[in-house]
Amino acid sequence: MRLIVGLGNPGARYAGNRHNIGFLAIDAIARQHRASPFRHRFQGEAAEVVLGTERAILLKPTTFMNESGRSVSEAQRFYKIPLGDVIVLHDELDLAPAKLRVKVGGGNAGHNGLRSITAQCGNDYRRVRLGIGHPGDKALVHSYVLNDFGKAEQPWVEDLCRAVADHAGLLAAGEDASFQNKVHLAMAGRGWDDVKTLGARN
């Protein structure tokens, strides 16, 4: 069994924030693969799903971002899921918009959700980094991630979440390189292979 976690902040006021792209991706997976209804469990919203041949729990912590680890650790302990089978989808400032990378472990790059999970669970979980770009000034990061995606950004956000959902079976199977490549090809096919500026096609 896999535990697939999307990071974000709960509530309507945060729903469209750049920081919440992990929630958006989890919702896309749930729709595409006909997950069970989300129920409030593990200090979050959890649903069961089958991705290819793998059973998985989809989890959206409702603890707010900086306490995400409490929710993840509770679900991990309940299902006795090894850390290597925990997959976290999160926003990534250091990736260009519409890009995706998968890695295991590494630093948290100031991401409070990752920091909390590492503190509660350990560091060697799998991370699906969903690029949102950087505002260009460190002082602007807080307001940038807690603002909604702009109207012009919505098409690539939807396409990226759809591509993640379309190929989630590869992710669940541990075929990270194939998953990453399939998402890249899907985004390139939609014209998002070279998004140099926020919300703009080039």
Side-chain angles (χ1 to χ4, degrees):
M1 177 177 281
R2 308 289 187 254
L3 176 60
I4 305 180
V5 183
L7 295 186
N9 286 308
R13 66 176 290 192
Y14 299 106
N17 286 184
R18 294 186 180 93
H19 222 17
N20 273 41
I21 194 170
F23 276 11
L24 299 177
I26 287 290
D27 286 340
I29 293 171
R31 287 192 303 270
Q32 176 84 354
H33 297 276
R34 300 181 179 180
S36 68
F38 281 96
R39 294 190 298 140
H40 190 70
R41 301 181 71 193
F42 314 120
Q43 303 180 65
E45 298 292 328
E48 297 183 11
V49 70
V50 176
L51 302 172
T53 60
E54 297 289 343
R55 291 178 61 226
I57 301 300
L58 304 178
L59 179 66
K60 296 184 293 181
T62 55
T63 52
F64 285 95
M65 185 70 80
N66 63 354
E67 296 289 348
S68 299
R70 290 176 15 215
S71 175
V72 176
S73 63
E74 191 174 319
Q76 185 194 7
R77 286 195 305 270
F78 183 86
Y79 289 105
K80 299 180 173 60
I81 296 174
L83 189 57
D85 290 334
V86 176
I87 304 164
V88 178
L89 286 70
H90 66 91
D91 58 300
E92 178 58 72
L93 287 161
D94 293 331
L95 276 182
K99 297 295 186 184
L100 175 149
R101 296 288 184 274
V102 183
K103 72 171 185 176
V104 178
N108 298 322
H111 195 292
N112 289 332
L114 298 181
R115 183 183 291 119
S116 177
I117 294 169
T118 294
Q120 294 280 343
C121 306
N123 197 52
D124 294 329
Y125 51 91
R126 294 158 62 198
R127 303 146 192 242
V128 178
R129 305 162 67 212
L130 304 167
I132 61 169
H134 196 287
D137 183 340
K138 189 175 181 180
L140 299 176
V141 164
H142 182 75
S143 61
Y144 175 75
V145 299
L146 291 179
N147 274 324
D148 288 355
F149 285 107
K151 185 176 180 181
E153 295 174 276
Q154 292 297 332
W156 72 253
V157 173
E158 292 171 7
D159 284 345
L160 181 58
C161 291
R162 185 180 302 113
V164 168
D166 285 346
H167 303 292
L170 291 171
L171 184 66
E175 297 180 31
D176 292 352
S178 293
F179 167 75
Q180 183 174 290
N181 187 54
K182 291 285 189 181
V183 172
H184 170 76
L185 291 174
M187 295 301 284
R190 297 285 293 176
W192 300 117
D193 54 329
D194 191 22
V195 182
K196 290 190 175 70
T197 55
L198 295 175
R201 287 180 188 257
N202 294 278

